[in-house]
Amino acid sequence: MQLDKFYKSVLANFDKAASKTDFPSGLLEQIKEPNAIYEMRFPVKIGNEYEVIHAFRTQHSQHRMPTKGGIRYSLNVNADEVKALAALMTFKCAIVDVPFGGAKGGIKIDSKKYTESQLEKITRRYTVELIKKNFIGPGKDVPAPDYGTGPREMAWILDTYEMFHHGDIDAGACVTGKPIEQGGVAGRTEATGRGVFYGLRQFFSHQEDVGKLGLTTGLKDKTMVIQGLGNVGSYVGTISQAEGGVKIVGISEYEGTIYNNEGIDIFEVLKFRQETGSIMGFPGAEDMENRDDWVAIDCDILVPAALEAQIHNENAAKIKAKVIAEAANGPTTSEAEKILLDKGVVIIPDMYINAGGVTVSYFEWLKNLSHMHFGRMEKRFNQGTYTKLVELVEKMTGKTISDTEKAVLVKGGDEIDLVRSGLEETMINSYESIRALYNRRDNIKDLRTAAFVYAIEVIANDYLKLGIFP
Ligand code: GLU
């Protein structure tokens, strides 16, 4: 059987990294292949017709429980794609120190073809199939949004799960990415994009790394091209522009690509697209003749934030960017990666740079199990302590701090502040761990291999300590 290009790349990348470790081959085999694959077909009544829906859920690794990963709705969903995505989830969780194994689900549909209530029917029926086979539960397997799904679908999954688990006090932790009113956590929707921003900022903080690329430290005025203005791409763009001072010079969506070397205001583009349904014709930029030319736009940072295998052996040579931040899962095929590495391009790999989503999902899961929002216990207490400190400083110095400054100094953390702080801490620490390994090991020549080796070490040591491979 012809393996999906994407899965093939994930396996090739794994093998490349595994060969740089000393773990027993049987253990590496266990870590590489998915543990459980559930491929299902179920009927749903759409209008007067019965439609057979084809769907999947794969649990890649159960070295830590529950397993975790999103559910995507797309016509491209297939067994190999779900396996590749589930494997990436395992490595992602290990890298950002989230205590889960990896999983992924997918329903092979074009969601644009269905009404909201038809989508609800499909989602609920899919959830029932997962329940029947023990493929969902707060301690078993916890889905989340992915391409084509969002908080709305997660709320339907939650409600269906709760119907079958009446009285289970932890049922709310069976899925993450829920609306805030249904137990979601503040900052989950922006989390993947914000994580990409924190990761990039950390990469650009090391003079010796960016200097080799002919770049200066700091994100300010760095040029960026974004492919895909979905949930991930739009947050990468808005946060990088607003908080990092990045200049966005190109944006690509399925309707086409726009560019402007002087910079494009992403907030205006998002508004324009909402009003007109397209980025084409945006007054602050020029339309490109060929949509696929997004790869060739001159920039410092290229952010593929759409689907897998977008950078392949036919377009990789055209890339002018110095850094690629893989906001999407698997956007670069392994053949393309070879071409890019030879050109000296740095690829910040998906399994690290887009792990902000699952990191904040972990925070949501913890919130659901503790049955309390973050900050509720300590916010006012901290504010009281900081106020006393500020008063003491005023008394000792004989100077008065302005009310505006005081408000900033004494502020206790709300849930959104704490979530962002936890995400920032995670993205900084994880990058430094991967970078340290990359710098320590002469036989590791790229960040993806470093990230893979790091993840394999974490997972293999878990297995070894569990005593499965004595
Ligand atoms: N679908 C997201 C990913 O690929 C998030 C997964 C999660 O939050 O569990 O990382």
Side-chain angles (χ1 to χ4, degrees):
M1 189 182 72
Q2 176 80 21
L3 275 184
D4 185 81
K5 224 196 248 164
F6 175 28
Y7 190 38
K8 225 164 141 181
S9 286
V10 172
L11 296 180
N13 290 332
F14 179 91
D15 288 339
K16 179 172 164 193
S19 71
K20 304 196 187 300
T21 71
D22 297 326
F23 295 108
S25 60
L27 173 54
L28 291 168
E29 197 61 25
Q30 167 61 30
I31 296 171
K32 180 177 169 181
E33 297 290 339
N35 286 2
I37 303 163
Y38 180 24
E39 178 169 359
M40 67 201 92
R41 285 189 173 74
F42 52 84
V44 175
K45 202 158 178 216
I46 303 290
N48 290 325
E49 301 293 327
Y50 288 94
E51 207 172 299
V52 179
I53 306 288
H54 191 189
F56 304 83
R57 181 78 183 166
T58 292
Q59 295 174 346
H60 176 263
S61 178
Q62 282 125 339
H63 67 290
R64 291 192 186 181
M65 293 292 281
T67 53
K68 186 86 190 77
I71 293 175
R72 77 169 44 179
Y73 290 1
S74 149
L75 276 179
N76 292 330
V77 164
N78 62 63
D80 280 343
E81 186 197 53
V82 179
K83 281 199 251 179
L85 290 164
L88 284 180
M89 286 309 304
T90 294
F91 306 124
K92 218 184 272 196
C93 290
I95 287 167
V96 289
D97 193 21
V98 162
F100 300 145
K104 201 73 159 204
I107 307 187
K108 194 177 167 58
I109 50 167
D110 173 6
S111 36
K112 283 189 236 67
K113 251 186 54 196
Y114 301 95
T115 64
E116 184 166 349
S117 72
Q118 288 166 347
L119 280 174
E120 181 173 351
K121 246 190 205 181
I122 296 170
T123 306
R124 286 183 180 277
R125 178 62 197 254
Y126 174 70
T127 310
V128 173
E129 296 300 324
L130 298 181
I131 294 170
K132 286 199 294 197
K133 292 276 192 288
N134 258 335
F135 268 72
I136 184 169
K140 295 173 188 159
D141 188 353
V142 182
D146 198 83
Y147 185 86
T149 59
R152 178 184 69 171
E153 285 74 16
M154 303 306 118
W156 293 331
I157 293 174
L158 170 73
D159 188 58
T160 311
Y161 185 84
E162 282 181 331
M163 280 179 191
F164 284 77
H165 295 83
H166 181 65
D168 176 350
I169 197 160
D170 290 329
C174 74
V175 60
T176 60
K178 303 179 288 289
I180 303 275
E181 303 75 20
Q182 265 80 45
V185 75
R188 173 63 186 86
T189 310
E190 65 167 27
T192 309
R194 181 168 284 282
V196 172
F197 167 67
Y198 289 145
L200 273 170
R201 202 186 57 186
Q202 196 57 20
F203 173 80
F204 275 88
S205 71
H206 293 286
Q207 167 62 44
E208 57 275 42
D209 299 349
V210 291
K212 279 185 213 149
L213 299 171
L215 294 168
T216 52
T217 52
L219 279 177
K220 191 158 176 6
D221 293 329
K222 296 292 178 304
T223 52
M224 178 184 274
V225 170
I226 301 175
Q227 186 219 12
L229 274 190
N231 183 51
V232 178
S234 57
Y235 278 111
V236 175
T238 51
I239 297 171
S240 299
Q241 182 182 305
E243 294 179 32
V246 162
K247 194 159 95 175
I248 296 164
V249 293
I251 298 174
S252 180
E253 249 300 334
Y254 82 101
E255 65 266 18
T257 298
I258 57 172
Y259 82 102
N260 181 352
N261 292 340
E262 297 306 311
I264 306 171
D265 185 332
I266 184 137
F267 292 92
E268 293 299 322
V269 173
L270 290 169
K271 230 181 348 180
F272 181 81
R273 188 167 195 243
Q274 204 158 27
E275 285 159 12
T276 65
S278 170
I279 59 171
M280 302 312 276
F282 176 69
E286 283 188 36
D287 294 351
M288 285 187 109
E289 236 162 72
N290 183 353
R291 179 188 86 150
D292 296 333
D293 281 349
W294 61 273
V295 280
I297 302 175
D298 202 353
C299 63
D300 299 318
I301 310 161
L302 180 61
V303 183
L307 284 169
E308 58 264 22
Q310 299 297 299
I311 302 174
H312 41 76
N313 55 356
E314 276 153 41
N315 64 10
K318 293 189 198 157
I319 287 179
K320 296 199 187 82
K322 301 189 172 78
V323 178
I324 297 179
E326 294 187 325
N329 288 311
T332 317
T333 64
S334 45
E335 293 125 336
E337 179 150 30
K338 275 190 208 101
I339 301 172
L340 292 164
L341 293 177
D342 284 347
K343 273 166 58 124
V345 177
V346 170
I347 302 175
I348 311 182
D350 48 4
M351 67 178 79
Y352 158 69
I353 199 82
N354 77 28
V358 75
T359 302
V360 176
S361 274
Y362 170 46
F363 300 157
E364 180 175 332
W365 183 78
L366 291 172
K367 173 185 181 179
N368 298 149
L369 295 177
S370 70
H371 301 272
M372 189 165 52
H373 71 76
F374 293 112
R376 181 167 175 177
M377 300 296 273
E378 66 272 36
K379 180 181 165 185
R380 299 283 154 180
F381 178 78
N382 288 342
Q383 268 177 215
T385 310
Y386 305 152
T387 306
K388 281 188 202 124
L389 269 172
V390 168
E391 283 167 2
L392 194 67
V393 170
E394 282 184 323
K395 207 167 125 196
M396 288 171 77
T397 59
K399 293 190 177 143
T400 330
I401 294 170
S402 77
D403 285 348
T404 333
E405 278 168 338
K406 232 181 248 176
V408 175
L409 290 172
V410 306
K411 189 182 179 307
D414 284 314
E415 183 165 273
I416 184 71
D417 304 312
L418 298 170
V419 164
R420 284 178 180 165
S421 152
L423 174 62
E424 186 175 5
E425 167 77 359
T426 305
M427 295 308 292
I428 291 174
N429 287 348
S430 307
Y431 180 70
E432 291 307 320
S433 304
I434 297 168
R435 181 174 182 269
L437 193 138
Y438 171 76
N439 285 339
R440 204 169 54 235
R441 297 271 302 267
D442 287 341
N443 63 345
I444 294 178
K445 309 264 186 252
D446 59 278
L447 286 175
R448 190 189 314 282
T449 308
F452 255 112
V453 169
Y454 180 81
I456 292 172
E457 284 179 356
V458 171
I459 302 160
N461 283 320
D462 258 15
Y463 270 116
L464 290 169
K465 284 184 187 123
L466 283 169
I468 296 172
F469 292 88

